[in-house]
Amino acid sequence: FTYILSAPAQNAQLRVYALSGRLIDQVEAGAGLGYNQVAWSPPTALAGGTYLYRLEVNLTDGPRIEVDGRLQVVP
């Protein structure tokens, strides 16, 4: 996962969910100004298919930002 922050942030968190809404994995992500990258490896027992993710970023001088998306896992 890659993303760009245009404002300073306190922390960021990446969560991956099954389509049913069950939390699959949670990773503390980088919160540096500019380009950020999060390495994520699916758990070994995770079936191939479509999953949802949410990136939450707590800005230093501002609100919490949430971005949702879909990803495809291919075993």
Side-chain angles (χ1 to χ4, degrees):
F1 293 89
T2 60
Y3 54 96
I4 296 174
L5 296 178
S6 60
Q10 295 174 353
N11 60 18
Q13 193 170 70
L14 174 70
R15 292 187 178 117
V16 178
Y17 297 91
L19 291 177
S20 65
R22 181 175 57 96
L23 180 64
I24 300 294
D25 200 5
Q26 181 172 312
V27 178
E28 291 298 318
L33 187 61
Y35 180 83
N36 291 271
Q37 185 173 5
V38 179
W40 180 72
S41 296
T44 55
L46 191 63
T50 302
Y51 293 85
L52 306 173
Y53 70 86
R54 172 171 282 169
L55 177 66
E56 296 178 359
V57 178
N58 292 311
L59 297 179
T60 302
D61 294 325
R64 179 175 69 182
I65 297 172
E66 298 177 351
V67 177
D68 298 326
R70 294 181 299 259
L71 68 110
Q72 190 71 32
V73 173
V74 180

